Structures are given as C-alpha cells and as structure tokens.
Amino acid sequence: MKKCTTNSPLKHVAIEGDKARKIFDKNYSKSDVLYEALNTSRVEDTGLDIPKLLSVSVENGQWIITSEYVAGKTLTQLLSEHPEKEDDYIEAMVDYQIEFNKRSNPLLLNLKNKLNRQINALDIDSHIKYELSSRLEGLPNHNKLCHGDYCPDNIIVSTGKNNNITKITAVDWVHATQGNASADVANTYLTLKLKDERFAEKYIKMFCQKTGTDISYVNKWMPIVAAARLTKKKPEEKQMLETMIDICDFQ
C-alpha cells in the first residue's frame, strides 16, 4: 500500500509498508541526494535511534532514498491536538535534543566552518560581516551532534495513556553537523520564533534550565545563526533575521 505524506515541488515521500521512500525530482542535484544519505548514515553511526537508511537508488531518472518508516505523529500534530500538554511535549522535545547532543561523529561537517562559509556568502555590510565572523571565531569549539533543523515538524512521536509521549525520534538529518549544542538550540529557537514566540521562549528556557546553560551563552549564537539562515533567502524570514544580526543586541 502506497501513501504520500509529504509533497513539494522537488521531492515527496511515499510510504510503502514499513518503508519510507523520498523521491526527488529529476532535476534535483545528485550530489545533494547523496550528501543527505551520507549524513543520515553518519548520524546512524553515532548509535542514535533514528529511522535507518536502507538504500539509495534511481528509478525512471529520479533518485530515491529509502528508509525505515516510523509510525506516529509529528510533534506539530500532537501539539495541535493536545495544547493542554504543551509543557510536557516541550520537555520531551528538549530531553531528546539533550540525548543526541551527547553523541558525535568526527566525519560530520564542522558547524563553525559551515556557519563561517554562510556568513561570508552574505551580501551585507562588511563591518557587520567582520563582527559576526570575529564572534564566531571566539566561541568555544565543540563536537556534539547537532540536527540543524530540529523543530516539531521533524519530530515523530508515539503516545500512550493520557496522550503522554512514549517514544520520540527525529527525521531529516540532512543538515546535521558536529559543533556547539547552543548554536543548534539558537537555530531551533529562531525556527520556533517565526511561528510562535511564546512557544520559542518556553523551549529555550527549558533547555537552559535542564542543561544548566546560561541563556546569555545561547544568545551569543543568535546573530550568527540568524545571519546563516539569511542564506536560505526566505522572504517570510528576512525582516526578523535582519534585525537579529546586530551583535550589539546580543552582548
């Protein structure tokens, strides 16, 4: 039985039994497909329980990544259905992030190097670019597993009694890197803030409380991560991100 779950102009996901097949448009970059598969396998190598990559193939001129299918709902769906349990669900989201931050793979792309390339690619004032690059250089080097796009849409959960989460995992590890967990948290915060600032504030406060991280330390990454996100050139994000790349606002 085949069921389509995700559609976009360039790719869609079809569920076939216990397998999920991500099917790419014929014009999709082959190197990007192979990079996504490689990154996913490197996350698997950390021992983290994620849907396993099964194969990479070509059918009718289209590249296909086949992985295990994990039954469940996205955290986005669950939050919509049970808003009264929002705090519990945020805590589960944070706990899973803390768990994967404990892992690492030296073969993953270095996050600081990636951020530096993204900053240098921006068409912004040279003084701001210099300030951003200088701050990035001065921040601590870590090698923790970072998702790169950790948000409720990419979190799959199973629930039990009283709609409590019994199992949780994350998908779409194409942007995974090794680096500083606070940078990954800052990126998630920005993603959440674009949709619901109240939810974003709850998330970042809970992460900092559970890990003993001073929120000012995460804030040091905000202008850097905001600048990096500008390279995606999403009109709906542009105004907010441009207001956040001023280092002076995040001292």
Side-chain angles (χ1 to χ4, degrees), residues 214-230:
D214 193 313
I215 197 167
S216 64
Y217 179 64
V218 180
N219 281 338
K220 288 182 182 296
W221 289 94
M222 290 294 182
I224 295 166
V225 173
R229 285 180 68 92
L230 277 172

Side-chain angles (χ1 to χ4, degrees), residues 124-226:
I124 58 175
D125 182 89
S126 59
H127 176 71
I128 295 176
K129 188 180 292 189
Y130 173 79
E131 292 292 336
L132 290 167
S133 296
S134 296
R135 169 171 287 197
L136 176 60
E137 178 65 27
L139 288 168
N141 295 309
H142 290 174
N143 63 351
K144 297 177 180 179
L145 174 61
C146 297
H147 185 282
D149 191 18
Y150 190 61
C151 62
D153 286 346
N154 287 333
I155 299 171
I156 307 297
V157 300
S158 298
T159 57
K161 186 178 180 180
N162 298 321
N163 301 303
N164 293 323
I165 292 175
T166 56
K167 187 173 182 180
I168 184 168
T169 191
V171 295
D172 288 341
W173 291 88
V174 61
H175 301 295
T177 57
Q178 56 170 321
N180 195 304
S182 289
D184 208 29
V185 171
N187 187 60
T188 294
Y189 171 80
L190 291 182
T191 302
L192 298 174
K193 182 180 173 71
L194 287 160
K195 295 181 178 180
D196 186 341
E197 185 168 0
R198 181 193 55 81
F199 187 94
E201 292 296 334
K202 277 190 173 184
Y203 157 78
I204 197 170
K205 287 177 181 177
M206 186 168 291
F207 183 91
C208 290
Q209 288 171 358
K210 279 183 164 283
T211 59
T213 303
D214 193 313
I215 197 167
S216 64
Y217 179 64
V218 180
N219 281 338
K220 288 182 182 296
W221 289 94
M222 290 294 182
I224 295 166
V225 173

Side-chain angles (χ1 to χ4, degrees), residues 103-118:
R103 302 171 186 269
S104 186
N105 185 332
L107 297 178
L108 287 167
L109 182 67
N110 181 279
L111 178 55
K112 284 183 75 172
N113 290 343
K114 179 180 180 179
L115 291 170
N116 192 54
R117 285 196 298 271
Q118 289 173 312

